[in-house]
Amino acid sequence: MAAAAAASIRERQTVALKRMLNFNVPHVKNSTGEPVWKVLIYDRFGQDIISPLLSVKELRDMGITLHLLLHSDRDPIPDVPAVYFVMPTEENIDRMCQDLRNQLYESYYLNFISAISRSKLEDIANAALAASAVTQVAKVFDQYLNFITLEDDMFVLCNQNKELVSYRAINRPDITDTEMETVMDTIVDSLFCFFVTLGAVPIIRCSRGTAAEMVAVKLDKKLRENLRDARNSLFTGDTLGAGQFSFQRPLLVLVDRNIDLATPLHHTWTYQALVHDVLDFHLNRVNLEESSGVENSPAGARPKRKNKKSYDLTPVDKFWQKHKGSPFPEVAESVQQELESYRAQEDEVKRLKSIMGLEGEDEGAISMLSDNTAKLTSAVSSLPELLEKKRLIDLHTNVATAVLEHIKARKLDVYFEYEEKIMSKTTLDKSLLDIISDPDAGTPEDKMRLFLIYYISAQQAPSEADLEQYKKALTDAGCNLNPLQYIKQWKAFAKMASAPASYGNTTTKPMGLLSRVMNTGSQFVMEGVKNLVLKQQNLPVTRILDNLMEMKSNPETDDYRYFDPKMLRGNDSSVPRNKNPFQEAIVFVVGGGNYIEYQNLVDYIKLSQLGQK
Amino acid sequence: MAVDITLLFRASVKTVKTRNKALGVAVGGGVDGSRDELFRRSPRPKGDFSSRAREVISHIGKLRDFLLEHRKDYINAYSYVMSEYGRMTDTERDQIDQDAQTFMRTCSEAIQQLRTQGVCKLYSEQRAIRVKRVVDKKRLSKLEPEPSTKTRESTSSEKVSRNPSEDSEEKPVTEEHPEKVPAESQPELGTWGDGKGDDELSPEEIQMFEQENQRLIGEMNSLFDEVRQIEGRVVEISRLQEIFTEKVLQQEAEIDSIHQLVVGATENIKEGNEDIREVSTLGPPGPPQCGTESRQQRSSCWQGGTSALLWPSPQGSPPDGAGQSHFDPRQTPDPRCYQEP
């Protein structure tokens, strides 16, 4: 997860990709004429990186006629250059050598997502020699793009093998030293690529005694080595690019997931977070199953078919950009508003059409004609816009409806409200046991999540008898009790380390939106769903960031280690050399962040920007 | 941003080229090259064998032709009626027999040798392969997996090439050997499997070994320091001991001199004692006063130990030597004890 940078990381990565596709010559946007037609070969990692950033149309604009997976059967296309974008693993290298031997393409532009080792490069050289194809290998590049950017200011490490760097992988008890090293190396490699693409050397701060510290030490070492190596340094002036205007160095805050385990379990209420939690949402693409309308199937005819539809939620989607952080009722309302305005515009166009139709018969009213021509031209020019709007509205209507169904089915609003209350330590009006034992409130997972949040946030552990009761209720509801075991252990450790994190004050107020929505007769019949509005709260991650950026003194963050890869001598102190507050920060959670925290950080940024003005 | 490693790629192409040239292969990379090279190597010993075998065969052929040629003449032993040229004397025939026999013997020996040499070569090669494998394993245990995998592959290909060459060569003899060879290769493969397993375990073993190394280094260093300290102390001790012996020697000299003095003193005292005893036992042969006096005085003289004489007496020290009437001539005046008047 990242906060805003001068030229956002998404733009930078996109620029880098486009340059790569243009044979690593900087891409000039206004170039006329046809681009050189080429073929793009990628592996699954490459696919994950490219798909949120470039659509198929954009690829076509860059001249990619065909894009294929590396490990598929590919026919030879003898007079076309091929651009490869793969990870430098053994199997990929073998397949590439095979391609060279089989003389599939005219020329090869090899791009490796992260740096390739010398021995593997020699393997390729060998194969190229064997196939007498050395001249065909036109360029070989290390792209340093081993991360996936999802938003302007958010990135994740990987999607294909995210199990490798997940919380479970890092925190399970039977991990060996060497496995841990592998995980840490993967994380550090991706972070290093991120900073190379960003073109800045950060100042690193991390808490002591955690996996985050391991990552920080390794990353610091790697950056330091790279800076020392003056010949091959990746951070020299020309790589900073024209977009880098801030002269201050960014702050990298490395936190471990263990400081706050309740937030990932928390039920969500903002649009993006809900879509991610409830629907199948990966790499900015949501997959919906739609059942065909019940009322349309005639009696005795074919059965209901479920259509799978997938939608891309991209930065071009204005509605999404505006509302992805809003609480769900607001979203519902906004969709409604958009729909209304669209209908009004549509009516306008129809009216014009009918007028034109009438106009064709009556020749006398020329003045009306000229007036209407102007209106018509404006309507025609705005037609594509209108169509696009329609498409977006349809999209969001479908998505929001799906989300709403889930909410109603699982009573997610109840869960959300209850968890908020637990986390802010206000009094609970309903007993936890009631909710757990309620058979139509939520899946067993939901109940488990609720109970775990309760357990984590409780000042003292519930008594044995209570615990037994809860356990029984949970097992009756069909839950697996293993997570509870883990959280118990975790809590024991966390108690030894520090005080449990507090979540700030928050209240949830039911608002009177329900009535308004009902009155306008919209599709979003949110009856029975509470309309809850979030009040501003600061999650632990945001608090830590605030302290570190503003250089506030706080017992929680004073003990954080300080790394500056540009300093000549590393030292173990926690005293920051730089006393000025930071303008840019990147927050990375070792073990996985989530959309709730992302949203919280974005809100924090907005607030602090407002406050500064 | 992106790093252009095309130059690095070209450089590695060049290194690979030079490496392949060094291995003696024009085109064809890595393992394939080494296998080709071995295939090229293996015909050479094959050539040795075959050339020798061919030699033997040609010799035998020549002998056969010779015998065939002279057969007629040979058989025509009893037909002296035949032409003079074809006639062979008995001696000639004997000679021919002898020569043929020796030749046959040498040929059979050569064949035997070839056979045994073949066997010896097999065994020596087996041993060489085994030694190589042991070395590889040692290198594995020192945790250098890459070069050993390459050599392992090359040894495996060597074995593969070895077996068909042997088989094709001398089937009857070497039939049992290839059987042994695969049998031996099976347990070897087993150890290879372990070796490969070692490869998979090595990252953890590397760590453990590194830790052990550190510990051992620390221990060795401390031992070294201790040894140095002890050395210093021993040097000091030796120095002190030198001084000690010096002093002791000095004291010895002094003690010797003291000893001498003491011995002299005891002798003097003994003599003095004897003198006094003699004087006291002699009684008073001269004037009693004199005698007693002399005795008393002599004793007092002796007791005093002084050389001063208490009563005057004529110069007893007798230069004239006569008339010493009041002296007992038996008494020998000891001039040391007392003075004669």
Side-chain angles (χ1 to χ4, degrees):
Chain A
M1 305 214 306
S8 79
I9 188 67
R10 195 217 294 261
E11 281 166 28
R12 281 175 177 264
Q13 204 177 22
T14 316
V15 162
L17 278 177
K18 285 194 175 163
R19 202 176 59 194
M20 170 190 86
L21 292 174
N22 200 31
F23 304 131
N24 287 297
V25 168
H27 178 62
V28 179
K29 280 201 186 128
N30 304 330
S31 59
T32 51
E34 271 185 13
V36 179
W37 301 113
K38 50 186 99 74
V39 172
L40 175 65
I41 318 277
Y42 48 79
D43 63 348
R44 297 213 177 274
F45 287 95
Q47 191 179 24
D48 287 341
I49 294 174
I50 297 178
S51 58
L53 295 175
L54 297 172
S55 65
V56 177
K57 181 178 171 303
E58 282 171 335
L59 286 179
R60 222 132 282 171
D61 289 341
M62 301 290 310
I64 309 282
T65 51
L66 201 54
H67 44 90
L68 302 164
L69 210 51
L70 180 69
H71 288 285
S72 59
D73 290 326
R74 284 174 276 123
D75 296 322
I77 308 175
D79 46 3
V80 158
V83 176
Y84 282 75
F85 185 54
V86 294
M87 284 290 272
T89 62
E90 277 296 325
E91 340 167 296
N92 289 355
I93 304 277
D94 286 340
R95 187 60 202 263
M96 282 165 65
C97 294
Q98 200 184 334
D99 287 351
L100 284 170
R101 281 195 283 272
N102 295 343
Q103 307 266 2
L104 288 181
Y105 307 110
E106 181 211 359
S107 57
Y108 300 84
Y109 292 82
L110 307 178
N111 296 285
F112 295 106
I113 299 176
S114 67
I116 185 172
S117 66
R118 188 63 198 257
S119 61
K120 295 205 177 93
L121 197 60
E122 282 181 6
D123 287 342
I124 303 180
N126 243 339
L129 263 181
S132 315
V134 182
T135 45
Q136 286 180 342
V137 177
K139 287 195 186 168
V140 183
F141 265 80
D142 283 337
Q143 288 292 339
Y144 288 102
L145 287 173
N146 189 12
F147 58 97
I148 302 174
T149 308
L150 293 177
E151 304 279 340
D152 272 347
D153 44 8
M154 182 171 98
F155 71 99
V156 296
L157 285 192
C158 52
N159 192 37
Q160 280 304 310
N161 58 347
K162 56 184 172 184
E163 297 302 313
L164 183 64
V165 293
S166 64
Y167 178 74
R168 180 170 179 277
I170 298 175
N171 285 287
R172 63 191 169 96
D174 54 346
I175 190 171
T176 62
D177 269 350
T178 44
E179 283 172 16
M180 192 66 170
E181 290 290 309
T182 327
V183 171
M184 291 292 127
D185 284 338
T186 322
I187 297 179
V188 167
D189 185 45
S190 290
L191 283 176
F192 182 72
C193 293
F194 176 80
F195 284 109
V196 170
T197 313
L198 194 61
V201 179
I203 291 181
I204 307 172
R205 299 212 67 180
C206 66
S207 54
R208 283 184 193 266
T210 56
E213 192 181 8
M214 273 182 86
V215 173
V217 166
K218 279 186 178 248
L219 183 63
D220 177 57
K221 189 165 158 223
K222 194 159 183 176
L223 284 167
R224 204 178 285 264
E225 279 169 9
N226 194 267
L227 284 171
R228 294 287 160 268
D229 187 8
R231 209 160 37 100
N232 293 339
S233 168
L234 298 162
F235 294 99
T236 51
D238 51 336
T239 62
L240 289 179
Q244 182 77 340
F245 288 122
S246 63
F247 295 101
Q248 244 208 354
R249 291 167 60 188
L251 170 70
L252 172 65
V253 178
L254 282 167
V255 283
D256 193 270
R257 183 72 265 167
N258 283 320
I259 54 162
D260 177 16
L261 271 185
T263 309
L265 295 168
H266 190 24
H267 283 92
T268 49
W269 199 241
T270 57
Y271 192 29
Q272 189 179 31
L274 263 175
V275 169
H276 180 254
D277 192 18
V278 161
L279 303 173
D280 182 17
F281 180 59
H282 295 288
L283 295 178
N284 289 350
R285 172 171 292 198
V286 64
N287 295 315
L288 292 179
E289 257 186 21
E290 282 184 354
S291 53
S292 53
V294 183
E295 59 271 21
N296 291 340
S297 62
R302 54 198 157 94
K304 266 192 289 184
R305 259 185 309 120
K306 289 212 173 202
N307 305 328
K308 270 203 177 222
K309 296 192 84 163
S310 61
Y311 300 108
D312 283 322
L313 297 167
T314 57
V316 192
D317 183 343
K318 291 201 195 70
F319 183 81
W320 175 248
Q321 291 305 314
K322 196 158 151 227
H323 289 285
K324 60 188 180 187
S326 324
F328 192 64
E330 250 183 64
V331 170
E333 202 187 319
S334 314
V335 171
Q336 201 49 39
Q337 282 174 352
E338 291 282 311
L339 194 60
E340 278 170 16
S341 71
Y342 166 74
R343 281 206 186 121
Q345 283 180 310
E346 206 185 1
D347 289 341
E348 180 77 18
V349 173
K350 278 190 189 149
R351 201 174 56 83
L352 282 173
K353 204 170 84 172
S354 61
I355 287 174
M356 286 313 295
L358 285 171
E359 196 54 41
E361 294 165 9
D362 182 5
E363 292 179 11
I366 298 176
S367 57
M368 266 173 59
L369 180 63
S370 60
D371 193 22
N372 283 331
T373 317
K375 277 195 207 156
L376 195 63
T377 39
S378 66
V380 164
S381 59
S382 64
L383 204 61
E385 211 182 281
L386 218 58
L387 286 173
E388 176 69 12
K389 215 167 170 185
K390 170 97 172 65
R391 184 186 75 87
L392 287 179
I393 292 174
D394 277 343
L395 192 159
H396 285 286
T397 313
N398 290 336
V399 171
T401 318
V403 171
L404 186 61
E405 276 175 22
H406 276 270
I407 294 179
K408 279 200 233 174
R410 288 155 64 179
K411 292 200 189 161
L412 291 176
D413 51 331
V414 173
Y415 277 100
F416 174 69
E417 190 189 1
Y418 204 76
E419 284 165 9
E420 286 284 314
K421 286 199 180 138
I422 293 176
M423 281 162 70
S424 61
K425 300 183 181 48
T426 52
T427 52
L428 309 166
D429 50 359
K430 215 171 164 186
S431 138
L432 183 63
L433 207 52
D434 287 340
I435 299 188
I436 294 180
S437 335
D438 189 351
D440 30 69
T443 64
E445 248 182 40
D446 291 327
K447 296 181 180 164
M448 198 62 196
R449 276 162 79 171
L450 176 62
F451 183 67
L452 287 176
I453 291 177
Y454 168 70
Y455 193 84
I456 292 172
S457 328
Q459 291 282 16
Q460 316 148 314
S463 65
E464 272 304 314
D466 281 345
L467 198 60
E468 281 309 311
Q469 237 185 350
Y470 286 127
K471 272 194 196 169
K472 190 170 162 307
L474 286 168
T475 24
D476 284 343
C479 307
N480 179 0
L481 287 181
N482 287 341
L484 183 58
Q485 284 303 108
Y486 179 76
I487 295 291
K488 261 195 201 163
Q489 280 177 335
W490 173 85
K491 187 132 188 188
F493 281 133
K495 256 201 189 116
M496 290 193 296
S498 62
S502 61
Y503 292 94
N505 293 323
T506 175
T507 55
T508 53
K509 305 180 290 177
M511 296 240 314
L513 284 175
L514 181 60
S515 50
R516 218 167 92 203
V517 166
M518 285 291 286
N519 289 342
T520 52
S522 73
Q523 292 172 291
F524 291 102
V525 180
M526 291 186 56
E527 58 188 27
V529 174
K530 299 191 188 177
N531 284 300
L532 306 162
V533 169
L534 296 172
K535 216 172 164 190
Q536 188 53 39
Q537 61 177 346
N538 266 346
L539 295 175
V541 173
T542 320
R543 263 212 326 277
I544 290 173
L545 177 69
D546 184 44
N547 288 334
L548 287 173
M549 272 186 88
E550 304 290 328
M551 301 294 190
K552 291 182 195 162
S553 167
N554 183 309
E556 207 176 1
T557 56
D558 276 346
D559 195 32
Y560 272 41
R561 286 190 70 178
Y562 180 87
F563 292 98
D564 184 356
K566 279 193 174 166
M567 284 202 316
L568 284 172
R569 260 186 315 110
N571 54 2
D572 196 24
S573 73
S574 317
V575 177
R577 292 275 294 266
N578 182 9
K579 296 294 178 189
N580 305 328
F582 287 96
Q583 299 299 326
E584 258 179 45
I586 295 132
V587 178
F588 185 79
V589 183
V590 176
N594 54 61
Y595 279 102
I596 304 176
E597 286 173 341
Y598 168 59
Q599 201 51 50
N600 203 252
L601 284 170
V602 168
D603 293 339
Y604 164 75
I605 293 167
K606 278 197 207 134
L607 262 188
S608 60
Q609 280 175 346
L610 284 173
Q612 275 170 7
K613 286 176 191 161
Chain B
M1 299 289 194
V3 176
D4 188 353
I5 49 175
T6 316
L7 295 173
L8 204 59
F9 177 71
R10 305 263 180 243
S12 39
V13 167
K14 276 190 199 130
T15 33
V16 170
K17 256 192 210 163
T18 48
R19 203 192 298 152
N20 286 344
K21 270 190 200 145
L23 282 177
V25 179
V27 173
V31 178
D32 297 334
S34 60
R35 234 182 260 142
D36 287 344
E37 184 203 10
L38 284 161
F39 275 128
R40 236 169 271 149
R41 253 196 270 138
S42 54
R44 265 190 276 120
K46 217 176 171 178
D48 282 344
F49 274 106
S50 55
S51 60
R52 307 253 301 274
R54 259 181 246 123
E55 272 176 44
V56 171
I57 289 168
S58 61
H59 284 320
I60 294 171
K62 273 187 212 155
L63 176 64
R64 202 189 53 172
D65 294 339
F66 177 75
L67 284 173
L68 273 175
E69 214 185 289
H70 293 274
R71 203 185 186 185
K72 252 173 66 180
D73 300 337
Y74 194 75
I75 288 170
N76 266 336
Y78 298 101
S79 57
Y80 359 84
V81 201
M82 297 295 284
S83 61
E84 292 89 359
Y85 294 113
R87 236 182 331 148
M88 277 186 164
T89 60
D90 283 338
T91 47
E92 280 184 52
R93 269 181 225 121
D94 287 334
Q95 212 188 10
I96 288 174
D97 280 337
Q98 261 183 2
D99 289 339
Q101 262 184 13
T102 49
F103 198 79
M104 294 291 279
R105 231 179 284 134
T106 48
C107 280
S108 60
E109 270 169 25
I111 290 173
Q112 281 281 330
Q113 264 184 19
L114 280 179
R115 279 195 190 167
T116 50
Q117 270 192 8
V119 169
C120 288
K121 269 210 174 170
L122 253 181
Y123 282 148
S124 58
E125 270 149 18
Q126 284 289 330
R127 240 183 286 135
I129 288 167
R130 230 178 283 161
V131 165
K132 231 191 208 176
R133 240 177 264 138
V134 167
V135 166
D136 286 344
K137 257 183 244 157
K138 272 197 192 148
R139 252 191 274 144
L140 259 182
S141 65
K142 284 181 204 162
L143 303 163
E144 290 173 50
E146 282 192 24
S148 66
T149 48
K150 287 234 163 91
T151 52
R152 239 192 282 146
E153 288 176 20
S154 61
T155 52
S156 70
S157 54
E158 225 184 279
K159 279 187 68 57
V160 167
S161 64
R162 182 61 47 207
N163 292 343
S165 74
E166 296 312 317
D167 277 343
S168 59
E169 266 251 327
E170 297 163 334
K171 279 214 175 123
V173 181
T174 58
E175 248 177 26
E176 60 254 41
H177 296 296
E179 286 168 17
K180 272 190 213 162
V181 162
E184 281 167 342
S185 66
Q186 295 285 342
E188 303 292 351
L189 277 173
T191 49
W192 279 354
D194 287 341
K196 285 200 185 107
D198 282 340
D199 251 349
E200 289 165 14
L201 287 174
S202 57
E204 294 172 340
E205 280 193 352
I206 288 173
Q207 228 186 359
M208 272 168 45
F209 286 151
E210 270 181 28
Q211 287 176 2
E212 258 197 76
N213 277 351
Q214 298 289 333
R215 200 171 44 84
L216 287 170
I217 286 171
E219 277 181 26
M220 291 302 155
N221 278 339
S222 59
L223 278 175
F224 184 61
D225 289 336
E226 278 178 26
V227 163
R228 241 192 286 157
Q229 280 181 16
I230 289 170
E231 203 187 315
R233 275 189 220 134
V234 163
V235 161
E236 271 189 54
I237 288 171
S238 67
R239 245 188 303 127
L240 288 170
Q241 270 191 345
E242 272 184 48
I243 299 174
F244 187 59
T245 46
E246 271 182 46
K247 297 277 184 249
V248 163
L249 285 171
Q250 281 177 16
Q251 287 180 7
E252 191 193 348
E254 284 172 20
I255 287 169
D256 274 345
S257 61
I258 290 171
H259 180 247
Q260 300 252 348
L261 287 173
V262 163
V263 162
T266 45
E267 280 188 17
N268 289 346
I269 290 167
K270 258 191 232 164
E271 285 175 17
N273 255 345
E274 285 176 12
D275 288 344
I276 290 168
R277 217 176 287 129
E278 282 174 18
V279 163
S280 57
T281 50
L282 268 180
Q289 305 162 304
C290 296
T292 50
E293 279 181 42
S294 71
R295 212 194 304 142
Q296 282 174 2
Q297 278 167 356
R298 267 181 219 145
S299 57
S300 67
C301 248
W302 185 85
Q303 277 173 8
T306 59
S307 50
L309 197 55
L310 289 178
W311 53 277
S313 60
Q315 272 68 25
S317 47
D320 43 2
Q324 308 268 350
S325 55
H326 43 271
F327 287 105
D328 192 8
R330 276 184 284 174
Q331 279 186 351
T332 50
D334 193 350
R336 281 184 288 171
C337 270
Y338 48 89
Q339 278 184 9
E340 294 303 307

